[in-house]
Structures are given as C-alpha cells and as structure tokens.
Amino acid sequence: MKEIDTNLHWETNTQTNIGLDMGFFNHTLNVTVDYFLRDAKNLLLYRNMRPSTGHGRIYTNAGHIKNRGLEFTVSYNKRINDWAFGATFTGSSLKNEVVSVGDPIYSTDADTGDDWDNHSVTMEGYAVGSYYGYVTDGIFRDQPTIDALNSAAKAKGFDVYQVNATAPGDFKYVDTNGDGHIDGDDKVVLGNGFPKLNYSLNLTASYKNFDAMIYMYGVAGMDINSYASMKMTNLFKTAGGIQNTLEEYINGAWTTSNPDASMPRMTVVDRNSNKRASDYYVKNGNFLKLANIQIGYTLPKSVLSPIRMESARVYFSIENLACFSSYNKYGDPEVGNSNVLYTGFDGGRYPYPRTYMLGVNFQF
C-alpha cells in the first residue's frame, strides 16, 4: 500500500558556477571555461516503510543528487584577404552521484526479459541508473573445472556453483560476495551511461561568395549497456526459425574445435543464462559523427538587384554522413532515453538516416 507524506514540499536546487572568459590576438582566439556544481535536494521519491506501520511505501522528499562538471569553448576566427576561416571546439564533462536515495531503485523492463530485469540501479555512492549485473571471468574450457567449483559449492551447502546445466563453453560468473554460489546477490554495479566527455567541432571557411561548413560531434569515455549486442550474439527461436546473429558470433563462438574462443557456445536453450545482464554486454560506446557537411554559394548583389531580391543562396548538404565507432556493428552508439534510469541503455532501434539536401534561401 502506498502513502503520501502530508508534509511534502518543493524540491530544492542550488547551483554554483565559476567561469573564465579569455580573448587572445585581438579576439581572434577566444576561450571560455565554466565549472559548475548542481545540488538537487529533497527530491520526491518512494521510500520503503517498516512493515509494522501497515504501509509498504511512502512518497516523500528524500532524494539528494549531485552533478558537477566542466564546460568549455575554444573558438578561432581569421580573415585573410578574400578568405575567412573559423573553428569552434566545445566540450563538457559531467560527474553524477547519488548522495541519498534510501533503498536502491531498480529499473524493470517487461519488454526485455532474458534475465535483464533490474539491469540498472540507482543507489547511494553511484550514478543514477548505473548498470547492474554479473561479472564474467571468461568461459569454462573443460568439465573438470566446472566439477571442481561444484564440489567446493557443495562443501558450503549449495548444490552447484552456477546451475546444474553449466557446460564447457558457458560463461563463468564471479562469486562477488564469496559465499561459494552464484545468485542474485552477486550482481554489482558495472558502470554507468554518463560519458567522460561530450564534444563537438564546427569548421567554417569562405572565399568570396562561396562558403563551406563541417560539423562533427561525439563522446569519449562512454560505456553502453547493450541489450542489442546480447540479442545479436545469441540464438533465439522465432516463428521463421532461428533469429539472425552476427557473423562474428557464428564464427567466433566456443566449440570443441575452437576452445580458446572469447564468445560462449551457441545454444538456443541457454540453461546457464549466458544472456543475462553482465559486464560482457557493457560495450565501448565512444563515437565521432560527421553530422553535417554543407557547401553554399551566395549570388552577387549585381545579379539580384534587377529582380529586387535582397539575397539568395544555393546550398547542398549531407546530414549524418558517417559514424566512426567500434559499436557500429550493434547499432547506432548515440543512445538516449527520456527515462534517466535507462541512461546509456541500448535496447535496439532503427539507425538515423542519411539525408541529402539541395536548397535555396532567398529574401526579397
């Protein structure tokens, strides 16, 4: 049963900024740096109550989250006769930390399943929506290794180390709590979806009536909790047979003839739950995108004056030209979700289209 605190009040947000603006060479080169600290207190959330109260949870002011980071811009503009050049580089970093939230808040997603429920957690000392799952320790290469771990588990009162059906080629999971058996208590925080750096670069150039622009952006220090990669590197039954998988998995999965493989064995049954959320499916999400390239020509005034036109520019542009990332084989690395608990989570989706555009801008 849910209760609402009768003393609810507004959430409190405070922000501290320290900035620095600098100009060099008669403002040909400009640098702006801003450090910020945002403190969000008294956040509204549900907290569990003691059973003796007769209530399950109460909606109250109990959360406290800190965000701190650095934002900067470096711009350079230069004109040489009929030529003009410009470059603007921007970047930002963000450190997110939960100071107080009470009991951990888990994300659940009925649309995934496959042992991916509670694939993220919000708990004190970590970022909001941190990745949550098992830690892998390679792949079992032979049956004697499995038997030895099962024997050790029985000595501690458990039937097996992982599950009865664990076989060579299955993932070996780390017993993080040291009790001799793998279960839900061995799940730990595996990272988060906040990149260490977001950046962009805008380059411009012009010569007389011609102009050109290149805009690119990307992230560095980014990890993706990739449900999409799990779906592409395992076998699933479908109405038409077996779901398509990456050729990399088909050729690189563990077999008796390929015992040193880094990918688990191919199986539809998967009794060991190799598909479960783990650090194996936390992938490098760094990327650089060529977002827009544009070339234009502005018609001279002498051509426009007879027809009483103020200005006219013809241009050609390409959007989403290329994406450089090791994650491309699983999908677009630019993941995002309106739910902060799913920050950095990739459930699979259609990639962004590439767009070609020819246009005219004119003004009378």
Side-chain angles (χ1 to χ4, degrees), residues 58-75:
I58 186 170
Y59 192 57
T60 185
N61 297 92
H64 181 190
I65 295 174
K66 280 187 177 181
N67 288 289
R68 60 182 182 273
L70 188 72
E71 298 176 338
F72 63 89
T73 300
V74 180
S75 62

Side-chain angles (χ1 to χ4, degrees), residues 327-350:
Y327 190 80
N328 283 340
K329 57 190 172 185
Y330 305 119
D332 195 311
E334 191 177 0
V335 297
N337 197 294
S338 59
N339 188 339
V340 69
L341 297 181
Y342 290 76
T343 300
F345 175 76
D346 181 16
R349 66 192 191 287
Y350 288 107

Side-chain angles (χ1 to χ4, degrees), residues 216-233:
M216 60 190 78
Y217 66 91
V219 301
M222 172 71 178
D223 289 327
I224 295 176
N225 198 15
S226 183
Y227 180 79
S229 72
M230 184 278 292
K231 295 288 285 187
M232 294 181 184
T233 55

Side-chain angles (χ1 to χ4, degrees), residues 18-218:
I18 301 175
L20 181 64
D21 293 318
M22 297 175 288
F24 304 92
F25 312 115
N26 198 25
H27 290 284
T28 299
L29 175 65
N30 294 281
V31 179
T32 301
V33 181
D34 181 58
Y35 174 80
F36 64 86
L37 174 62
R38 301 187 186 112
D39 229 3
K41 299 180 180 179
N42 301 315
L43 300 180
L44 292 167
L45 50 81
Y46 282 102
R47 296 197 69 168
N48 293 329
M49 301 179 67
R50 294 191 305 272
S52 58
T53 64
H55 305 288
R57 298 192 300 169
I58 186 170
Y59 192 57
T60 185
N61 297 92
H64 181 190
I65 295 174
K66 280 187 177 181
N67 288 289
R68 60 182 182 273
L70 188 72
E71 298 176 338
F72 63 89
T73 300
V74 180
S75 62
Y76 178 82
N77 293 279
K78 183 70 173 179
R79 175 172 287 278
I80 304 175
N81 299 324
D82 291 330
W83 287 92
F85 305 93
T88 301
F89 182 74
T90 64
S92 65
S93 65
L94 175 66
K95 172 69 174 179
N96 176 274
E97 181 184 358
V98 176
V99 179
S100 176
V101 74
D103 297 316
I105 301 173
Y106 299 95
S107 66
T108 57
D109 192 339
D111 294 334
T112 57
D114 304 315
D115 294 317
W116 275 69
D117 287 342
N118 298 337
H119 56 71
S120 77
V121 63
T122 299
M123 59 194 303
E124 294 172 5
Y126 297 94
V128 172
S130 292
Y131 307 152
Y132 193 63
Y134 295 89
V135 178
T136 58
D137 185 20
I139 293 172
F140 285 114
R141 307 295 176 185
D142 52 58
Q143 189 61 44
T145 302
I146 300 172
D147 294 339
L149 285 172
N150 287 341
S151 296
K154 287 179 180 178
K156 294 186 177 182
F158 299 100
D159 292 333
V160 291
Y161 178 72
Q162 288 185 178
V163 296
N164 282 316
T166 299
D170 285 331
F171 278 133
K172 175 187 175 184
Y173 295 103
V174 177
D175 178 21
T176 58
N177 66 356
D179 66 355
H181 174 67
I182 300 299
D183 57 21
D185 292 334
D186 292 300
K187 296 174 71 174
V188 296
V189 170
L190 304 173
N192 63 72
F194 294 93
K196 289 183 172 59
L197 176 67
N198 289 280
Y199 62 90
S200 68
L201 177 63
N202 191 59
L203 302 174
T204 60
S206 65
Y207 175 73
K208 294 184 178 180
N209 288 31
F210 291 93
D211 63 86
M213 182 272 291
I214 299 176
Y215 175 68
M216 60 190 78
Y217 66 91

Side-chain angles (χ1 to χ4, degrees), residues 230-242:
M230 184 278 292
K231 295 288 285 187
M232 294 181 184
T233 55
N234 283 280
L235 299 180
F236 293 86
K237 287 183 178 179
T238 65
I242 301 296

